[in-house]
Amino acid sequence: LQSTSESPVAVETLDDVPEHVLRGLPEDVRLFPSAVDKTRLGVWATKSILKGKKFGPFVGDKKKRSQV
């Protein structure tokens, strides 16, 4: 049994995803609950994605391979 004093865990939904992110997803990529963290959305491919495939728009800081 769960204690009633525990606060509910917020679960990320598609409503939380900015519109530009949804527009930038390739045709064969979907957002579904993460396999790693069920409270977050994860990126799932509905078919293989070729190595080097680019999609976007990119938002964030670009990193060199040595930094990741």
Side-chain angles (χ1 to χ4, degrees):
L1 292 174
Q2 277 189 329
S3 167
T4 57
S5 64
E6 290 181 31
S7 58
V9 176
V11 176
E12 188 175 33
T13 68
L14 288 177
D15 291 335
D16 300 318
V17 179
E19 185 61 34
H20 73 274
V21 172
L22 296 175
R23 282 194 312 267
L25 290 175
E27 183 177 317
D28 299 314
V29 173
R30 303 285 184 269
L31 298 178
F32 291 118
S34 170
V36 177
D37 180 349
K38 298 296 183 197
T39 67
R40 303 292 310 271
L41 292 175
V43 180
W44 296 83
T46 59
K47 68 180 190 180
S48 294
I49 299 173
L50 297 175
K51 182 177 180 178
K53 174 80 173 173
K54 293 183 181 185
F55 54 91
F58 175 80
V59 177
D61 298 322
K62 291 188 178 185
K63 302 286 184 186
K64 295 179 181 177
R65 284 184 187 259
S66 62
Q67 295 175 298
V68 294

